[in-house]
Amino acid sequence: MIKFLDLKKINSSYEPDLSNAIQHVIDSGWYLLGEELNLFEQEFAQYNKIKHCIGVASGLDALSLIFKAYMEMGRIKTGDEVIVPANTFIASILAITFNRLKPVLVEPNLETYTINPEKIEKAITPKTRAIMAVHLYGRIAEMDTINKIAKKFSLLVIEDAAQAQGAAINSKRTGSLGDACGFSFYPGKNLGCLGDGGAVTTKDNTLAEIIRSLRNYGSVKKYYHDFQGLNSRLDEFQAAVLRVKLRRLDTDNIYRQKIARFYIQNITNPLIFLPENPDKEINNQENSHIFIPSHVWHLFIVRLEKREKLKKYLLENGIESLIHYPVPPHKQKAFKNWNNFSLPVTEKIHNTVLSLPISPVITLEEASYVVDVVNKFN
């Protein structure tokens, strides 16, 4: 069986460093807000060439705390609008609604699956305060255009890079392309810990200071609370794990690019719509230390009308696949007041996408088998 994502095999590939890092934390006797978190925050900030990194408990918390901090700063207030792609995981939208802000759903580009910049400006109103750019499936949203629109209308740009750790464009990585960025380190991510975890990156000193306080009950000094905060701290074990994995992130992402390119070049089934590869013109640099993919292929998404049939066929042939995601946010029961919205591009994507196996440990032989099976599907 070719697993969709073999986390046991992935984590085994980091041994003995992973076990040594965990044992070091156990031996230290300090498990929250300690040395490992401080070092990870420094290393991840340096990796992203950004001034601040604040480790938190999850990717959802990272995004939620960004909005909460901006509200504490007076940059956003209750009821303000945030433009967000309709095609995203629900966490992107929950971070907005949790803060009693109003999400404004904008359709994606069908070729890239990320928010369509041509539709953003039409969605801006006098109550718009921010644009959330989601780097979905590992591909960077069209940030140059998004930032130009934001500058024109004096809007904040908040990145959701939960699926795009390490992606870069014009030598700038996700996490440094907007005003603030939320990362997730859920175990299946390109940079994943062994539980839940997340981080915020920003160059804004005030925002970083407030988020550091908010994640720790609104406190910087013990028992003194400046804000109504919450408990959202990246613990020492997860920080230690992430420090080990960060060292290999670029290598792993380049390998994902290699597998993705193999799929794109060899899947020829006319029933399958393949994703566009934004790195196709620089693939000859795959062995260069300076090559950084703008698409880090957290997921390899194909699109077809017979999705369920292909999923079943793959499983019968020993290949796991998953659907990311079967139901768009505006059709979820949680947002029943949106259920009558018509967002045809988003709905087409959610009704037809299927994710094929891709990871740092899938072999070219396994990828070749996936290709052969997919090409025989009818």
Side-chain angles (χ1 to χ4, degrees):
M1 174 68 70
I2 298 176
K3 292 186 177 182
F4 176 75
L5 185 65
D6 193 337
L7 287 177
K8 182 177 180 180
K9 189 174 180 181
I10 289 171
N11 288 324
S12 293
S13 72
Y14 290 97
E15 293 295 359
D17 293 349
L18 213 54
S19 292
N20 290 341
I22 292 169
Q23 188 62 51
H24 175 75
V25 174
I26 293 172
D27 293 342
S28 75
W30 192 289
Y31 309 121
L32 287 168
L33 300 179
E35 177 188 22
E36 292 296 328
L37 178 59
N38 287 335
L39 288 172
F40 172 70
E41 289 176 339
Q42 292 172 29
E43 290 162 5
F44 197 60
Q46 184 178 19
Y47 174 82
N48 291 291
K49 296 181 181 178
I50 193 74
K51 190 170 186 181
H52 300 286
C53 170
I54 307 100
V56 298
S58 70
L60 174 55
D61 279 4
L63 293 171
S64 297
L65 286 167
I66 289 169
F67 287 114
K68 185 170 176 58
Y70 276 128
M71 294 178 82
E72 294 287 355
M73 294 167 65
R75 298 287 301 275
I76 304 176
K77 65 180 184 302
T78 300
D80 281 344
E81 295 175 355
V82 179
I83 290 173
V84 61
N87 177 43
T88 187
F89 181 58
I90 198 169
S92 308
I93 295 167
L94 290 176
I96 299 168
T97 58
F98 278 173
N99 284 287
R100 295 180 294 167
L101 302 170
K102 181 182 177 182
V104 176
L105 305 181
V106 171
E107 289 267 60
N109 183 315
L110 190 57
E111 280 67 48
T112 67
Y113 302 117
T114 60
I115 194 168
N116 189 338
E118 294 179 4
K119 297 182 181 295
I120 291 175
E121 195 161 335
K122 296 175 185 177
I124 295 172
T125 76
K127 297 197 74 174
T128 306
R129 294 293 176 269
I131 302 170
M132 183 185 286
V134 181
H135 308 309
L136 198 65
Y137 310 145
R139 178 173 184 145
I140 294 180
E142 296 177 54
M143 293 303 295
D144 287 346
T145 306
I146 291 169
N147 280 319
K148 286 177 184 176
I149 294 169
K151 185 176 181 180
K152 178 179 177 180
F153 291 92
S154 300
L155 304 177
L156 295 165
V157 175
I158 295 163
E159 296 177 79
D160 178 346
Q163 299 184 359
Q165 300 92 339
I169 190 165
N170 298 328
S171 300
K172 294 185 68 176
R173 295 189 193 271
T174 54
S176 66
L177 302 173
D179 294 289
C181 179
F183 287 93
S184 167
F185 302 127
Y186 181 78
K189 304 299 187 186
N190 292 35
L191 179 62
C193 54
L194 300 184
D196 277 317
V200 174
T201 57
T202 183
K203 60 180 178 291
D204 188 318
N205 295 336
T206 302
L207 185 75
E209 182 181 356
I210 293 174
I211 291 174
R212 288 189 190 281
S213 176
L214 287 172
R215 73 171 176 185
N216 188 38
Y217 303 99
S219 171
V220 175
K221 182 180 179 182
K222 195 170 184 178
Y223 302 131
Y224 292 83
H225 305 270
D226 299 323
F227 305 100
Q228 295 180 33
L230 63 155
N231 177 6
S232 180
R233 301 172 297 204
L234 183 68
D235 68 56
E236 289 290 280
F237 290 102
Q238 306 305 343
V241 166
L242 291 167
R243 290 186 65 212
V244 171
K245 292 189 172 186
L246 180 60
R247 298 168 200 151
R248 211 178 75 192
L249 180 56
D250 283 343
T251 300
D252 287 350
N253 281 341
I254 290 172
Y255 186 76
R256 286 175 179 269
Q257 168 72 14
K258 181 178 181 179
I259 297 297
R261 186 167 65 254
F262 182 82
Y263 281 154
I264 290 169
Q265 291 174 345
N266 292 283
I267 293 176
T268 57
N269 191 322
L271 298 175
I272 307 293
F273 181 88
L274 294 168
E276 179 189 65
N277 184 2
D279 299 308
K280 54 183 175 292
E281 294 181 359
I282 53 173
N283 283 339
N284 62 343
Q285 297 181 25
E286 70 172 6
N287 295 316
S288 169
H289 295 298
I290 63 170
F291 171 64
I292 305 171
S294 63
H295 193 330
V296 292
W297 301 97
H298 171 62
L299 299 172
F300 187 90
I301 301 289
V302 298
R303 202 169 74 239
L304 74 162
E305 297 298 325
K306 300 178 181 180
R307 173 176 69 185
E308 295 295 340
K309 185 179 178 182
L310 176 58
K311 189 174 188 297
K312 181 181 178 182
Y313 169 77
L314 289 171
L315 192 59
E316 289 170 349
N317 285 275
I319 301 167
E320 287 185 342
S321 60
L322 289 178
I323 298 171
H324 294 88
Y325 304 93
V327 183
H330 72 282
K331 295 296 183 182
Q332 298 284 354
K333 186 177 179 181
F335 294 115
K336 56 189 175 186
N337 55 315
W338 295 346
N339 287 174
N340 292 326
F341 283 11
S342 176
L343 296 163
V345 179
T346 294
E347 290 160 23
K348 180 180 180 68
I349 290 169
H350 284 255
N351 289 333
T352 59
V353 293
L354 186 69
S355 303
L356 300 182
I358 189 167
S359 78
V361 296
I362 188 173
T363 66
L364 277 175
E365 289 76 18
E366 289 171 327
S368 181
Y369 177 69
V370 172
V371 166
D372 289 342
V373 172
V374 169
N375 282 340
K376 292 174 183 174
F377 173 74
N378 55 50

